[in-house]
Structures are given as structure tokens and as C-alpha cells.
DNA sequence: CTGAAAGCGCTTACAG
DNA sequence: CTGAAAGCGCTTACAG
């Protein structure tokens, strides 16, 4: 990668390397217009491209932003990344992306690499067990932070670093309220893995809201945080409730903790001949764009995913201030639609 | 970012910097076990993390892979990125991601930055006008390549660089064949922007296959490469064909060049009271995961998106050989489903 | 096997 | 305003 160097440019322009550096980058010490012109011309003619690695080494900052997500192909995360990417561009930062497949080793490894690359900030999207990182990761972050690195989490806050928190619990509670207001009285839940905080929060918010009005769930099942997880959980649920086509007087209303799981559930029920919302109702969470045209339209909670991603990056980059104090809560918005319609 | 340095480690271990460097990285010159142990211990105790920037400067390579996509929130691209990410990890490379919103200036800017960061390779996903980059981009790539940078495009090949080509045209033709075999005789097309090669190829492949059997499209409309583009195009199509609920003896079969557009089209028709496949049939392209449970199930062409992303990275990283010769074609697979069912 | 030293390509006090 | 020089943190021939 033997490219044109600053030295080459300086030589051709007949100035020192220092001068060339000053005109080519926004230094406060501005050389005379004539000299500057010569340098710019030389740079253009030679096709000079500054070596960001060398700049990073000489300066304090790399202009890199590390972004860790569980699964980039999951629309939840890709929306977050889209927002993060836009905010990074606005701040002239480059995004280093890691998609971990929810593997903790890969996650740790990715973070290490980001630190090795001296990313100016790291954004961690996707919640983990009870807000705790494992020891090694924690130790790395400790040093990272000591060296001026900034950390922002999307989800529940860690012991240090900023956080953008979707109000999963509160929003799930609102959803429950809305459903009860709509006349529902029988509820069930399709939850996610107990190790995923987001899943737990949503489930808890929903169930507690029911409790407050003296109701409780008829049954709860859970599965992976995926379409297939929703599918298999829904089969178990159907068996547990002995759901049958056309049999229900008042359909049970099921809350699946993500839209993607809800879609899997509907698919499972369809195979059993069950219709939504006639035989069973369902609500999801996330308001995934590609699912907005689903039939029946899915009752869900909209989270401003792109804005969440963008805010996380802004907090991470917003130079001044103690980052540990940067906590932002983002509310969800309940969308009542056909999948929970009572005739 | 004043972190622990190699020098610190060397000092603590009582060896030279060179020795420390050799034990901490897989050098061929392996120091004695005792010395090595001392160094490793010192590194661990100090929490040493190598500075990738400095390493990149000293070595020839940065370990960075630049990946450019049109829109990371589009499931088409996020699937590609997932595959690319996995392949990059397998090769111990870090992914630098840019999502350009289909803006050519942003794209050019992103590529420049990747080059500035001395990415070892760049993968460009998402086709552009007639296989030509604009002059500036082209000139940059020229130099990039001259300096040992490797370029791989997903889509139609450029004048240089490797390419992974989804066989859009051939697959669209197969789709047309399959639909004709299924008994369809009346066809229409919802195309994409004329500037997007992928859209054009799919449209052409489909229409030419019809021609070969003496058929032609009743009407063609086009729109943006998005859900809304499909939606509005579908409204125009409905007007042009004077589609009415329950009126059609044999429904027209519409080919939308992407699944996402097809979904928008179905939504538009639904609002007009038109049912799929009773009043109008539709087929898409891409086999987007979140749409697999759509009702009615969508006839489409499956493209192994993750594999495409992974292969692009593999070609880009596969050190030896002239990269310009690396061309790989990836076939699609036709999936006939309910949305084109004839009763 | 180990070390002293040059070099990777920039930036930035420090002088002039 | 401009330049010589040190320094950012590593790697790697070149000697020993």
C-alpha cells in the first residue's frame, strides 16, 4: 500500500512537510494563500490521500466508532445501525461494525478488537443478562474508559458509560392497558429467553399492568428471540389452551415480546387452522417496517429505532461531560390494530 | 488514549521492545520459552492492548475491510452484510460499514474514507447505473488498486476488481417460465428506477422470457426501489388495468422486481378491495426472511444473500491472483407460492 | 535467540 | 508565516 505520501506532496510543492500538513488539514496556523495553493495543487496532481492510520497515531483520535449488535440481519438491529450510521457520518466518524450472533465470546472479541483499533467510542446494542458483563469484558472497559474511551449502551445501563434506554417495561404496560381498555380479559404471554433483559422487561411490564387491574395471564410460554422461537412457543401455547378453530367465544389475547416472534406465532396457528383475531388475538413489540403490511395488521409498540441508534452515537461522541451521567429514556408508542380486534 | 505500550511491557519483562513484539505477535522468530513467559505475564499484568493503528503503520496491512451498501435497514442489504461480517470475522478482519442512502456523493465520500483508512479491501454492494462509476470514484479506485487495494463488487462487474453477480436476468426469466407453466397468460410488471441495473436486469429477463413464448406484458409501470414505490406503482397499475374486485375471469399476473415493492403493491390493492390471488396475482424477488410468513405467501426468487456477502469478502481477501479475474455468478431459485395461485 | 536502530506517515510544540 | 525535529507505537531487516 505504498501510496503518495505527505512528503511527496511537500517536495513537489517546494515546502516543508509541516507546511503541507498544515494546509491540507484544518490547522489553525494557516499558511499564505500562495503557498497553500501550491500545496493543494501538488496534492491534487499526485492524488494524495492522507493515511488515516498515521494521522491517528500522531493525533489522539482515530475517528473510529465501534458498534456491536447481536444480529445485523434482524430488522430491529439494522434499523438501529441505520440511525447510528447517519449520526456517525454527521460527525465525520467511521463505523466499525460487529454482528455477534449473540455469542458472548464473539462479543468480547469484537470489543477487544475495537479497543485495539483505538475506537474513539463504542456503542453496545442489545441487552444482556441482568446488566452485567463478564469479568474480562468489564476489565477491558475499565481500561478503555481510563484511556479516554467512551462507552454507550442501548438497553439497560451498565455500571459505567452512557445509556439509551427504550422504556420496554412502561411501554409494555401501556400496551396491556390499551388491550384491557379495548375489552380483552384473557391474556397469555410468549416470552423470550430469561437471560435477555429486554424480553424480561417487556414481559414484566405487561403482566404487572394486568395485575394492577386484578387480571393475570392464563398461561405463559417462551422461546428464542426469533421467528422460529415464536413459532414453537405458539404451538405449545395452542396445546396448553386447547385452542380450536371457531371454538372460542372470546379469544385469548397473546402478547409476544417481539414482532418477529408474533409473526412466527401467527404462522404456527395458521397451520393449525386458527385464525387471528377470530380464534386468538396477538400483539407484538417493535413495529418492524417490513411487517407493517402484514395481514392481519399487527398490534404492536413502535420504538423509534433509528433515533435510538442516532442518539447513542451522539451521546458517545458528545465530547464534554461525564459520560456516566448521560442516560436517556425513549418511550414507545402503542399501535392498536387488527390482530387484537374484538368483533 | 494513553494506554499501556509495548515499551512498558518490554521494560517490565526486562527485555527489548523487539523481543516483546516477537512474543506477543505470531512472529516466526520465536524467543525462548522463559523469556516469552515473562513477556506474556508482563503484558497481562499491565493489561496491554496492541495499538492496531501503529501496527498497521509498521506492517503493510490494516486488517480493515470496507463495506458499502445502499441502505443497511433494507433486509436485502442487511442479509448481505451479515454474510460479509461472518466471512470477515473468519479472516480476522474488521468491517468498516457505510450505508449511503443511495446518495452518490455519500458513496464517493465513504470510499475515499475507506481508502484513507487504508482498508485492505473494499466491497461495493448495490448496483449502479450501467456499470459505470463517475470519474472521480473511478480515479480513486485506480490508485487504490495500484497501491494494492482490492475491490469486489456485488452486482455487475466494473472495469476492474472482482465481482459476485446474482443472476438476476436468468432467474427472472425462470420465474416467468414457471408462471407460464402454471397457466398464466396475462402479465404486467412493476419495475424499479431505470438507473438501477438490478431492476433493469430483472425486468428484462422476465419480459424476454415472455417474448420467447410469444407473450408480452399488458402494461408496465415503475417506482422507487422501496415499499412505497411498489405501493404507488400498484395504484397506477390498477387504474391502467381497470382492476375491480371480483371482476376478473383470469387475473393478471404482476411481477414486482423486489419483494418489498410487491408487499407495497399488495397493500395498495387491498385498500382498493382487490384480493390476491383472486383479483390479481403477484410475484416478487429476493425472498426476504421477514416476509416468508406473509399471507398470501409470496411467489418469489430466492437469492442466497448471506452467501453472496460472504463470497464477496472471500474474493476480496483471497490474497493471491489477479482480482480482476475473480467473477462469480450466483443463481436464484424460483419459489412458486400462493400469491400466484390459479384456482 | 536477542537487541539497537531505522522506518511506517503523519502532527505539533518549539524556534526562527 | 515556515521549517527542523521529536514523537505517536509498532515491526523488521541487520548485527551480534
Amino acid at each position: 500500500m505504498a501510496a503518495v505520501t505527505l512528503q511527496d506532496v511537500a517536495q513537489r510543492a517546494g515546502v516543508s512537510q509541516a507546511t503541507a500538513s498544515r494546509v491540507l488539514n484544518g490547522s489553525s496556523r494557516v499558511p499564505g494563500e500562495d503557498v497553500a495553493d501550491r500545496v493543494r495543487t501538488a496534492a491534487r496532481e499526485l492524488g494524495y490521500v492522507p493515511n488515516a492510520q498515521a494521522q491517528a497515531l500522531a493525533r489522539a483520535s482515530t475517528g473510529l466508532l465501534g458498534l456491536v449488535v447481536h444480529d445485523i440481519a434482524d430488522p430491529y438491529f439494522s434499523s438501529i445501525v441505520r440511525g447510528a450510521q447517519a449520526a456517525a457520518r454527521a460527525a465525520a466518524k467511521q463505523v466499525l461494525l460487529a454482528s455477534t450472533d449473540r455469542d458472548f465470546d464473539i462479543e468480547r472479541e469484537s470489543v477487544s478488537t475495537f479497543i485495539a483499533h483505538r475506537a474513539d467510542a463504542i456503542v453496545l446494542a442489545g441487552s444482556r443478562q441482568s446488566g452485567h458483563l463478564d469479568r474480562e469484558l468489564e476489565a477491558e472497559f475499565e481500561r478503555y474508559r481510563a484511556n479516554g474511551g467512551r462507552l454507550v449502551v442501548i438497553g439497560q445501563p451498565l455500571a459505567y458509560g452512557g445509556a439509551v434506554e427504550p422504556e420496554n417495561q412502561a411501554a409494555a404496560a401501556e400496551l396491556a392497558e390499551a388491550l384491557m381498555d379495548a375489552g380483552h380479559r384473557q391474556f397469555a404471554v410468549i416470552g423470550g429467553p430469561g437471560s435477555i433483559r429486554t424480553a424480561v422487561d417487556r414481559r414484566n411490564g405487561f403482566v404487572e399492568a394486568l395485575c394492577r387491574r386484578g387480571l393475570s395471564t392464563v398461561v405463559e410460554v417462551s422461546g428464542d428471540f426469533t421467528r422460529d422461537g415464536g413459532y414453537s412457543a405458539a404451538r405449545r401455547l395452542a396445546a396448553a389452551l386447547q385452542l380450536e378453530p371457531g371454538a372460542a367465544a372470546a379469544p385469548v389475547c397473546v402478547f409476544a415480546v417481539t414482532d418477529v416472534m408474533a409473526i412466527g406465532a401467527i404462522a404456527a396457528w395458521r397451520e393449525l387452522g386458527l385464525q387471528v383475531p377470530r380464534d386468538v388475538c396477538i400483539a407484538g413489540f417493535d413495529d418492524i417496517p417490513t411487517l407493517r403490511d402484514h395481514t392481519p395488521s399487527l398490534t404492536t409498540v413502535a420504538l423509534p429505532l433509528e433515533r435510538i441508534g442516532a442518539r447513542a452515537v451522539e451521546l458517545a461522541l458528545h465530547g464534554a461531560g461525564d459520560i456516566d451521567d448521560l442516560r436517556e429514556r425513549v418511550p414507545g408508542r402503542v399501535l392498536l390494530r387488527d390482530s387484537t380486534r374484538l368483533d
Side-chain angles (χ1 to χ4, degrees), chain A residues 47 77 106 126 157 178 249 325:
Chain A
F77 290 109
I106 294 181
D325 298 332

Side-chain angles (χ1 to χ4, degrees), chain A residues 9 16 22 55 66 95 111 118 163 206 233 240 256-257 311 325 341:
Chain A
V9 175
S16 76
R22 289 194 266 256
Q55 290 184 316
V95 171
V111 168
R118 301 299 190 264
F206 192 87
V257 294
R311 285 303 293 157
D325 298 332
R341 197 188 54 223

Side-chain angles (χ1 to χ4, degrees), chain A residues 210-261:
Chain A
L210 297 183
C211 276
R212 261 175 258 128
R213 292 221 204 156
L215 295 178
S216 61
T217 56
V218 183
V219 55
E220 289 194 40
V221 295
S222 54
D224 275 354
F225 233 36
T226 61
R227 182 266 182 204
D228 290 345
Y231 177 92
S232 66
R235 294 188 70 98
R236 273 174 278 134
L237 191 77
L241 293 176
Q242 298 185 290
L243 295 179
E244 276 171 38
V252 172
C253 184
V254 181
F255 170 48
V257 294
T258 75
D259 280 358
V260 169
M261 294 179 81

Side-chain angles (χ1 to χ4, degrees), chain A residues 104-116:
Chain A
F104 279 69
D105 289 329
I106 294 181
E107 180 168 73
R108 196 172 336 105
E109 205 179 288
S110 303
V111 168
S112 297
T113 314
F114 288 171
I115 295 179

Side-chain angles (χ1 to χ4, degrees), chain A residues 118-200:
Chain A
R118 301 299 190 264
D120 295 336
I122 294 180
V123 171
L124 228 50
S127 61
R128 67 214 63 255
Q129 204 145 0
S130 63
H132 278 295
L133 302 169
D134 43 296
R135 292 290 156 219
E136 281 186 63
L137 231 197
E138 210 164 327
E140 290 220 69
F141 274 131
E142 209 83 70
R143 279 194 299 273
Y144 180 59
R145 152 203 181 67
N147 294 333
R150 295 169 67 84
L151 174 68
V152 171
V153 174
I154 294 177
Q156 76 288 8
L158 298 176
Y160 38 74
V164 177
E165 299 178 73
E167 301 198 73
N168 287 307
Q169 192 153 345
E174 283 175 45
L175 174 62
E177 303 278 359
L179 291 169
M180 290 185 283
D181 288 347
H184 285 281
R185 286 296 171 273
Q186 290 203 291
F187 294 95
V189 172
I190 294 179
S195 61
I196 296 189
R197 172 69 173 270
T198 299
V200 174

Side-chain angles (χ1 to χ4, degrees), chain A residues 8 10 15 49 54 69 81 103 107 112 173 176 186 194 198 208 218 237 240 253 273 275 287 289 302-303 319 329:
Chain A
D8 298 336
V15 301
V49 180
V69 300
V81 172
D103 178 319
E107 180 168 73
S112 297
Q186 290 203 291
T198 299
E208 287 165 13
V218 183
L237 191 77
C253 184
Q275 279 181 26
D287 190 35
L303 239 31
R329 321 197 94 238

